[in-house]
């Protein structure tokens, strides 16, 4: 199992010390570094900025929001960065949710699975550069001939010859249909809130995708890149402090990342068996009682979602994640020293 450094997206201000974290990850043998985006910082620019000082580590987006760019624009970003980095890009993408897609990007959210299939197909056409890019689908028609068109659209091929004709595409997916489609059309899967206890829930969904005609991958060569926080602690008291500190984040995703009637993250917790808890946390969070919402999150849930413990416990938990089929652990760290310590522990 490989290790990835998860930088995530920025808060109110750019983070400090990221260059040192990335350098430590490369020196320590990490496989990749990943960035994300929400409705502030973008995913590509930080990879170009901090990745310029690296030579080996792969550069991944986890994840690019598809509605923020046209498929050809995403492909342009990916092929440009792939050239600049010498072929180290992993293109991770996802559909986000209706509040962000319609509220921030001003795009319709309907039919996310069909849109995903079109986006992936167009990007692969651009990278293959075998013919001018066209698309007959309703979501990203190319050439465009709908309302407002002047009728001069022309199928085009990328001016730049891509360094690689087939950059790895990993998709973020949460529900059964989306996970199955990901196993069918993608090279890897970026789950959210994946845990050893919930891994069995996903197996039949993945198997359905692998079994479809034309599936690109099998379980043997398909990547599963799961994100969690890993922290080595001295004992039970420090572990409890860490778990308590992470409960507000769990409550945010369970209760506040989406509307009451359309919070896909909330539905993940429902499928994991926390339906009553998810409903109450959402009610409190949306009602402004964030502290009470966080206080309801049980220790065992946070402990299952992340890897926190003594050195021996961390080794055991990492092995448990690997046994479920995870090929890459995306880990967040606070200091270069933490990066090096974990790399040495798991070497």
């Amino acid at each position: 199992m490989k290790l990835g450094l998860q930088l995530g997206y920025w808060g109110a201000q750019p983070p400090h010390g990221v260059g040192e974290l990335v350098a430590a990850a490369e020196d320590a043998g990490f496989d990749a570094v990943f960035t994300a985006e929400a409705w502030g910082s973008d995913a590509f620019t930080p990879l170009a900025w901090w990745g310029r000082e690296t030579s080996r580590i792969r550069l991944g987006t986890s994840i690019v929001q598809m509605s923020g760019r046209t498929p050809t624009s995403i492909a342009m970003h990916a092929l440009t960065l792939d050239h600049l980095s010498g072929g180290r890009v992993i293109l991770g993408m996802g559909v986000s949710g209706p509040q962000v897609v319609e509220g921030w990007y001003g795009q319709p959210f309907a039919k996310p699975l069909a849109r995903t299939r079109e986006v992936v197909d167009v990007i692969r056409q651009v990278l293959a550069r075998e013919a001018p890019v066209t698309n007959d689908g309703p979501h990203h028609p190319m050439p465009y001939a709908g309302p407002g068109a002047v009728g001069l659209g022309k199928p085009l091929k990328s001016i730049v010859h891509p360094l690689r004709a087939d950059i790895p595409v990993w998709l973020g997916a949460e529900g059964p249909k989306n996970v199955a489609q990901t196993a069918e059309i993608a090279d890897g899967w970026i789950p959210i809130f994946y845990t050893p206890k919930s891994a069995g829930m996903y197996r039949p969904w993945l198997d359905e995708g692998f079994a479809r005609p034309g599936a690109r991958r099998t379980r043997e060569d398909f990547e599963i890149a799961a994100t969690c926080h890993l922290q080595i602690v001295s004992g039970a008291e420090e572990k409890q402090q860490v778990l308590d500190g992470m409960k507000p984040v769990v409550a945010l995703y369970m209760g506040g990342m989406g509307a009451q009637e359309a919070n896909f993250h909330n539905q993940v917790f429902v499928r994991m068996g926390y339906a009553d808890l998810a409903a109450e946390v959402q009610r409190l969070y949306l009602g402004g009682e964030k502290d009470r919402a966080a206080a309801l999150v049980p220790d065992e849930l946070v402990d299952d979602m992340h890897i926190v413990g003594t050195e021996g416990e961390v080794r055991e938990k990492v092995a448990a994640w690997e046994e479920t089929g995870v090929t890459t652990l995306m880990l967040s760290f606070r200091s270069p020293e933490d990066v090096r310590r974990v790399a040495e522990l798991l070497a």
Side-chain angles (χ1 to χ4, degrees):
M1 185 169 62
K2 301 178 286 292
L3 298 181
L5 173 64
Q6 176 61 275
L7 299 176
Y9 52 79
W10 299 0
Q13 296 294 327
H16 298 288
V18 175
E20 290 79 4
L21 282 176
V22 173
E26 170 143 296
D27 292 342
F30 275 51
D31 175 70
V33 57
F34 296 90
T35 56
E37 60 187 24
W39 48 93
S41 60
D42 78 282
F44 286 111
T45 308
L47 286 179
W49 183 260
W50 286 306
R52 77 193 191 285
E53 300 296 337
T54 65
S55 61
R56 179 198 57 79
I57 199 166
R58 293 199 289 173
L59 309 175
T61 54
S62 170
I63 56 176
V64 163
Q65 299 178 31
M66 295 182 194
S67 295
R69 307 165 184 84
T70 65
T72 47
S73 176
I74 296 174
M76 290 166 66
H77 282 291
L79 75 84
T80 303
L81 186 57
D82 206 47
H83 266 293
L84 293 174
S85 64
R88 292 187 281 142
V89 166
I90 301 167
L91 180 57
M93 301 185 294
V95 297
S96 190
Q99 281 194 327
V100 176
V101 171
E102 298 184 357
W104 181 252
Y105 294 120
Q107 299 295 317
F109 183 77
K111 299 185 178 180
L113 269 71
R115 286 191 291 109
T116 297
R117 189 176 289 272
E118 285 188 29
V119 170
V120 171
D121 178 69
V122 169
I123 289 172
R124 289 212 168 105
Q125 286 187 59
V126 173
L127 296 173
R129 205 178 177 276
E130 295 173 348
V133 178
T134 61
N135 182 46
D136 294 330
H139 303 287
H140 299 284
M142 297 174 62
Y144 178 75
V150 298
L152 298 178
K154 177 183 177 181
L156 300 170
K157 292 169 66 174
S158 171
I159 296 172
V160 177
H161 292 231
L163 180 64
R164 290 186 293 168
D166 197 7
I167 291 173
V169 173
W170 297 0
L171 296 177
E174 298 179 51
K177 294 180 180 179
N178 203 353
V179 171
Q181 177 173 274
T182 296
E184 175 194 358
I185 69 173
D187 303 296
W189 173 42
I190 305 173
I192 189 168
F193 313 135
Y194 183 99
T195 76
K197 289 183 180 179
S198 67
M201 174 178 69
Y202 297 108
R203 289 194 186 100
W205 308 348
L206 291 166
D207 288 340
E208 178 187 338
F210 295 138
R212 292 177 181 175
R216 282 176 60 87
R217 301 287 177 179
T218 65
R219 183 174 289 278
E220 286 67 34
D221 64 357
F222 186 75
E223 296 268 9
I224 298 178
T227 295
C228 73
H229 177 71
L230 189 153
Q231 187 167 341
I232 301 169
V233 297
S234 58
E237 183 177 351
E238 185 181 359
K239 178 176 180 177
Q240 187 63 56
Q241 294 173 351
V242 174
L243 296 182
D244 288 342
M246 301 182 73
K247 290 180 181 181
V249 179
V250 178
L252 165 64
Y253 279 87
M254 187 183 292
M257 276 288 198
Q260 184 171 358
E261 63 274 15
N263 181 336
F264 301 127
H265 304 320
N266 179 280
Q267 290 302 305
V268 174
F269 291 106
V270 171
R271 296 187 190 100
M272 290 168 65
Y274 294 96
D276 292 342
L277 173 68
E280 182 62 11
V281 168
Q282 185 180 62
R283 185 187 70 82
L284 290 171
Y285 205 98
L286 295 180
E289 300 183 78
K290 298 179 181 179
D291 291 341
R292 287 186 62 195
L296 290 180
V297 177
D299 293 345
E300 58 267 23
L301 174 57
V302 185
D303 195 30
D304 187 35
M305 292 172 62
H306 301 285
I307 299 175
V308 181
T310 62
E311 289 190 350
E313 291 170 337
V314 165
R315 285 196 194 95
E316 290 178 2
K317 295 193 74 173
V318 167
W321 284 68
E322 186 173 17
E323 287 172 5
T324 68
V326 172
T327 60
T328 295
L329 270 181
M330 298 186 191
L331 305 174
S332 58
F333 295 99
R334 297 192 178 115
S335 71
E337 291 73 27
D338 290 339
V339 172
R340 289 188 281 268
R341 183 181 181 188
V342 167
E344 292 171 1
L345 177 67
L346 301 179

